[in-house]
Amino acid sequence: MSDDFDAVLAAVGPRLRALRRRRGATLTALSESTGIPISTLSRLESGHRKPGLELLLPLAKAYRMPIDELVGAPADLDPRVYPQPFTRNGLTVIPLTRKPGGLQAFKHILPAGLTDGREPDPRSHEGYHWLYVLRGSLRVVLGDKDFILTEGEVAEFDTHLPHWFGNSDEHSVEFLSILGPQGERVHIKARYDGPLPLRSGGVQQESPPGPPKNK
């Protein structure tokens, strides 16, 4: 029991950092909403500060979730994941895994017309990315390649290569993604149909699930 408790405590910091980044929040914004100093939040996320109730209560309120879910307490062997969807720049992201670190799975929904009029803005970051299109067609700009993935197609790439996603037509798109640290990968290669003419529209996709890196 003690070992299980210690394991939960040790995972709280990385879990909180991953949650903050998924929500697209900076340490400054989180500090303002919770009243917790930035330095304390940073030490908590790095594992150098114990996660006491005086810190967890305002964080649970800010994230709008129970404390046991916030810290990843054992769920009595219930294997089900209860997603907490969030939306950024019109893109809906549904986390499908609940433990930080390792591979992370997400479902993404790009509404119809979301990327109309936007120019590609490819970005790169640490890690590896795997995509599977569930419905519709997804435009992918990957390095100097510009191609379309349709339903049932898969792509896999190193995220050091600048990349960017968007709608390929006027319809909505739904796709799954698995994001992993460098070296963790799913061995299915991207399929290219060759470079396509550059089109307007697109959604920048960064590290899980596209959140900006925070200092």
Side-chain angles (χ1 to χ4, degrees):
M1 179 67 70
S2 176
D3 290 343
D4 292 342
F5 182 71
D6 290 342
V8 170
L9 284 182
V12 168
R15 182 181 182 85
L16 291 175
R17 177 182 286 116
L19 176 60
R20 175 174 61 79
R21 290 179 174 176
R22 284 203 304 271
R23 297 291 180 91
T26 63
L27 285 173
T28 300
L30 188 58
S31 175
E32 291 174 353
S33 65
T34 61
I36 301 173
I38 294 175
S39 59
T40 300
L41 289 171
S42 179
R43 292 176 61 225
L44 179 63
E45 290 186 354
S46 63
H48 294 104
R49 175 68 184 265
K50 277 193 171 183
L53 283 177
E54 75 280 3
L55 301 177
L56 294 177
L57 285 172
L59 285 170
K61 182 177 180 181
Y63 288 125
R64 298 182 180 179
M65 62 171 57
I67 287 182
D68 58 347
E69 184 176 341
L70 183 70
V71 302
D76 298 326
L77 301 180
D78 185 351
R80 292 172 293 183
V81 175
Y82 298 93
Q84 298 286 330
F86 61 93
T87 301
R88 181 174 305 123
N89 298 325
L91 169 68
T92 298
V93 181
I94 306 172
L96 302 178
T97 47
R98 56 187 174 189
K99 293 185 178 181
L103 296 173
Q104 299 287 303
F106 302 88
K107 179 179 179 180
H108 305 258
I109 303 174
L110 278 70
L114 174 65
T115 61
D116 289 352
R118 299 186 189 178
E119 289 298 324
D121 183 22
R123 301 293 180 90
S124 61
H125 55 83
E126 293 285 338
Y128 217 83
H129 204 156
W130 178 90
L131 303 175
Y132 177 82
V133 179
L134 295 169
R135 185 172 66 84
S137 57
L138 179 70
R139 182 194 176 193
V140 180
V141 175
L142 182 60
D144 60 355
K145 303 288 185 180
D146 189 344
F147 59 98
I148 293 175
L149 293 176
T150 57
E151 291 184 21
E153 287 197 299
V154 177
E156 181 190 28
F157 56 91
D158 187 324
T159 53
H160 284 100
L161 189 63
H163 54 283
W164 184 86
F165 309 141
N167 305 74
S168 69
D169 53 31
E170 70 276 14
H171 302 294
S172 62
V173 188
E174 296 183 11
F175 63 99
L176 297 177
S177 72
I178 297 178
L179 296 166
Q182 192 63 24
E184 292 199 51
R185 55 199 297 183
V186 181
H187 296 285
I188 304 176
K189 297 301 178 185
R191 292 170 54 184
Y192 300 111
D193 294 324
L196 298 178
L198 207 59
R199 301 176 181 142
S200 63
V203 171
Q204 174 186 320
Q205 182 72 24
E206 300 187 9
S207 59
K213 292 187 178 180
N214 297 293
K215 302 293 184 183

